[in-house]
Amino acid sequence: MDDKISAVLDAYHEKIREERENHRKSPSGGDDGGQNRFMAVGPDTGQLVNILARNLNSPSILEIGTSFGYSGIWLAEAARASGGRVITMERYEHKSAYAKEMTQKAGLADHIDFWVGDAVEMIPALPDKVDFVLLDLWKDLYVPCLEAFYPKLNPGAIIVADNMLGRAAPGAIAYGKAVRAMPGITSVVLPVGSGIEVSRYEPR
């Protein structure tokens, strides 16, 4: 990581620490429906998705759930290193705008495109098939997103879904069953961060 990226990641890490401390003081988390919470994947998961995506050749990377852009920095750095490109999708405009600003500060703006709207509706409009997917949004959308992006997967594509261990939401549990039932998918859960399901698509 160069100095610009490291500085941006350090700023995110401070925000994440502040949010966790505030959450401990007020477990309810407020009534904004999560619109203003970072809810980032964390450094271990960020580094892992960076490593996985970096090993692909000129990958088309899809992030579903930009939030405030933390994981997008890791993915955009991988895209720059591997000759690839990221499309990241977010429902809320203010989150996407913040993420875009941080990507510019990191010097990675040329490697990532920001789409705002309903991911399930936007996925069919992707211009190309994808080689890597990071899934991290509301868990009740995991299966609908899977069904939308599955036809867009290139052979050998890697899918990473976050928040799969601990008190996993019903939508995450349903996703774990659904992704393993998809033809050509092999999958494993890893105890990284909040638990990630790492899947590979290899059609027979």
Side-chain angles (χ1 to χ4, degrees), residues 59-66 85-90 112-135 144-154 157-159:
S60 175
I61 299 170
L62 173 63
E63 179 183 38
I64 307 174
T66 311
R85 190 159 191 85
V86 181
I87 290 176
T88 181
M89 297 179 173
E90 172 57 45
I112 185 167
D113 297 318
F114 294 87
W115 291 22
V116 178
D118 184 310
V120 177
E121 295 178 358
M122 292 191 294
I123 288 168
L126 288 168
D128 302 299
K129 290 200 170 186
V130 296
D131 303 293
F132 188 95
V133 180
L134 175 60
L135 186 62
C145 284
L146 169 64
E147 292 171 347
F149 69 66
Y150 178 78
K152 292 281 189 176
L153 297 175
N154 276 321
I158 300 294
I159 309 159

Side-chain angles (χ1 to χ4, degrees), residues 24 27 42-43 67 75 77 81 87-89 98 103 109 123 126-127 140 144 148 153 167 169 187 189 192 199 202:
R24 282 194 291 269
S67 189
L75 291 174
E77 196 282 335
I87 290 176
T88 181
M89 297 179 173
Y98 185 96
T103 304
I123 288 168
L126 288 168
D140 58 350
L153 297 175
R167 292 185 296 176
S187 199
V189 175
V192 177
S199 309
E202 198 64 66

Side-chain angles (χ1 to χ4, degrees), residues 22 35 48-49 76 87 125 132 134 169:
N22 291 336
Q35 292 185 42
L48 180 58
V49 298
I87 290 176
F132 188 95
L134 175 60

Side-chain angles (χ1 to χ4, degrees), residues 42-128:
D44 290 342
T45 302
Q47 188 165 3
L48 180 58
V49 298
N50 177 270
I51 291 169
L52 292 173
R54 264 177 164 261
N55 280 325
L56 300 174
N57 183 27
S58 301
S60 175
I61 299 170
L62 173 63
E63 179 183 38
I64 307 174
T66 311
S67 189
F68 286 99
Y70 175 77
S71 51
I73 297 294
W74 290 101
L75 291 174
E77 196 282 335
R80 183 175 71 178
S82 61
R85 190 159 191 85
V86 181
I87 290 176
T88 181
M89 297 179 173
E90 172 57 45
R91 176 180 177 184
Y92 297 110
E93 173 66 40
H94 72 283
K95 285 187 171 184
S96 184
Y98 185 96
K100 188 173 185 178
E101 179 182 346
M102 295 299 276
T103 304
Q104 290 168 342
K105 288 181 179 179
L108 295 169
D110 291 342
H111 305 279
I112 185 167
D113 297 318
F114 294 87
W115 291 22
V116 178
D118 184 310
V120 177
E121 295 178 358
M122 292 191 294
I123 288 168
L126 288 168
D128 302 299

